[in-house]
Amino acid sequence: MATKHENDGGTVLERQESKLKPPPMYQVLLLNDDYTPMEFVVAVIQQYFNKDRETATQIMLKVHRDGKGMCGVYPKDIASTKVELVLTHARKAGHPLQCVMEEA
């Protein structure tokens, strides 16, 4: 067991703190399909990711053009919850919209 000496300036504590990393963050992505209406995608982005209509439309167009679009970056548990909420909402509305998360 190491003992702290008065003259070591707290380096033991500093070394321990430097090992702590912030938790990984996850991006939540919507994936393009040929069936989900664009207006539905815009509404989902506004409702679940708190975006204004213009920003939601820009994200939807990115999904449409590039095959996927990022809706936000969150800690793992929040990202996972958002994915589940979006998938559940889309299925209830009869749309095959896919929502996934990946480490940022």
Side-chain angles (χ1 to χ4, degrees), residues 27-63:
Q27 338 180 47
V28 178
L29 306 162
L30 292 179
L31 306 181
N32 191 39
D33 64 70
D34 294 331
Y35 306 100
T36 305
M38 291 180 173
E39 191 54 45
F40 181 81
V41 175
V42 171
V44 163
I45 295 168
Q46 287 181 278
Q47 181 175 349
Y48 293 102
F49 301 98
N50 200 28
K51 305 291 185 193
D52 60 51
R53 184 165 181 79
E54 184 178 336
T55 303
T57 300
Q58 290 171 354
I59 294 169
M60 176 275 297
L61 288 172
K62 183 161 180 51
V63 172

Side-chain angles (χ1 to χ4, degrees), residues 70-81:
M70 186 187 61
C71 298
V73 178
Y74 308 93
K76 187 176 186 176
D77 58 337
I78 294 173
S80 178
T81 299

